[in-house]
Amino acid sequence: MRRALAICIAALLLAGAASAEDYPLDEQPMYGGVDLKSGQVQPDKEILTACMKLTGGKMFSATVSDACMSLGFKAFFKGDYRRAMLFFNNGWALRQDNGSAHHGFALVLIERDKNDAEAEKMFQKAIASSIVTPGANMDYGRFLILHERYADAIPVLEAGMAKAEYGKEDFQFALFAVYEQLLQYPKACALAREAIGQLKDDRRQTVQ
């Protein structure tokens, strides 16, 4: 009986884990890899109109692409993965070197598809781009920490911290956690002190 129950539970879990290929092309990362000139996918007028409203009517591809990223992340954090992918894909089609699209794809692959292997490929594309926020490094770093790949997380987090104009303390706290796990306590404590020192007074009191 217990063995049969275990098999049923495993089957249900596997059935619930969809892959990106189970979705329409416009809900797959980079439209599932199809040639954009093939005619298999078309720009989504409703999505692009929403993005252009955010730009104040500016039509530059790079500006509209960035707006798509902003709305994509907003939809993602609301749990609307379908709409998030529509924004990420349309923004990526406008500017394929926009690393924020790959960052967004990675997050959806993790949360919607439970596909960490493909998500990591997207994270790597994201942080290799010159057009991406330090948030991609932070999320990839956290991803590596969750997978207990502490040594791999260090250069990712350090690169993000070097790019960050603000919020460096968030990277320092993440690195503190990494060095703590690696039993490098002097380094961990030094990072924690630096991070707390950069916090505003109200946040510093909360941490202490």
Side-chain angles (χ1 to χ4, degrees), residues 6 58 101 106 111 159 161 165 173-174 178-179 185:
K58 294 178 181 178
E111 295 297 328
M161 183 166 62
E165 296 180 6
F173 279 126
V178 168
Y179 282 109
Y185 299 121

Side-chain angles (χ1 to χ4, degrees), residues 60-80:
F60 297 110
S61 294
T63 306
V64 178
S65 178
D66 287 342
C68 286
M69 297 306 118
S70 178
L71 292 174
F73 285 114
K74 185 175 181 180
F76 171 81
F77 288 115
K78 286 182 176 180
D80 189 345

Side-chain angles (χ1 to χ4, degrees), residues 30-62:
M30 299 178 292
Y31 293 104
V34 303
D35 185 348
L36 294 180
K37 297 179 182 179
S38 68
Q40 290 180 265
V41 294
Q42 298 293 331
D44 188 307
K45 293 182 180 179
E46 186 267 329
I47 290 293
L48 291 177
T49 297
C51 296
M52 284 187 281
K53 284 182 179 179
L54 198 63
T55 69
K58 294 178 181 178
M59 302 288 288
F60 297 110
S61 294

Side-chain angles (χ1 to χ4, degrees), residues 180-193:
E180 184 181 37
Q181 289 294 328
L182 293 173
L183 307 182
Q184 297 185 31
Y185 299 121
K187 181 71 172 176
C189 290
L191 282 161
R193 283 195 297 269

Side-chain angles (χ1 to χ4, degrees), residues 12-120:
L12 287 170
L13 289 172
L14 289 172
S19 68
E21 290 75 16
D22 295 327
Y23 295 91
L25 289 176
D26 57 2
E27 295 177 45
Q28 297 180 33
M30 299 178 292
Y31 293 104
V34 303
D35 185 348
L36 294 180
K37 297 179 182 179
S38 68
Q40 290 180 265
V41 294
Q42 298 293 331
D44 188 307
K45 293 182 180 179
E46 186 267 329
I47 290 293
L48 291 177
T49 297
C51 296
M52 284 187 281
K53 284 182 179 179
L54 198 63
T55 69
K58 294 178 181 178
M59 302 288 288
F60 297 110
S61 294
T63 306
V64 178
S65 178
D66 287 342
C68 286
M69 297 306 118
S70 178
L71 292 174
F73 285 114
K74 185 175 181 180
F76 171 81
F77 288 115
K78 286 182 176 180
D80 189 345
Y81 303 138
R82 175 186 175 277
R83 194 163 178 80
M85 287 299 291
L86 294 178
F87 280 118
F88 291 142
N89 269 322
N90 279 270
W92 170 80
L94 288 171
R95 193 175 190 183
Q96 294 177 36
D97 60 347
N98 192 336
S100 291
H102 297 102
H103 180 193
F105 294 147
L107 296 180
V108 174
L109 284 165
I110 292 170
E111 295 297 328
R112 183 191 70 181
D113 302 343
K114 315 304 180 192
N115 191 336
D116 288 1
E118 288 301 313
E120 180 162 17

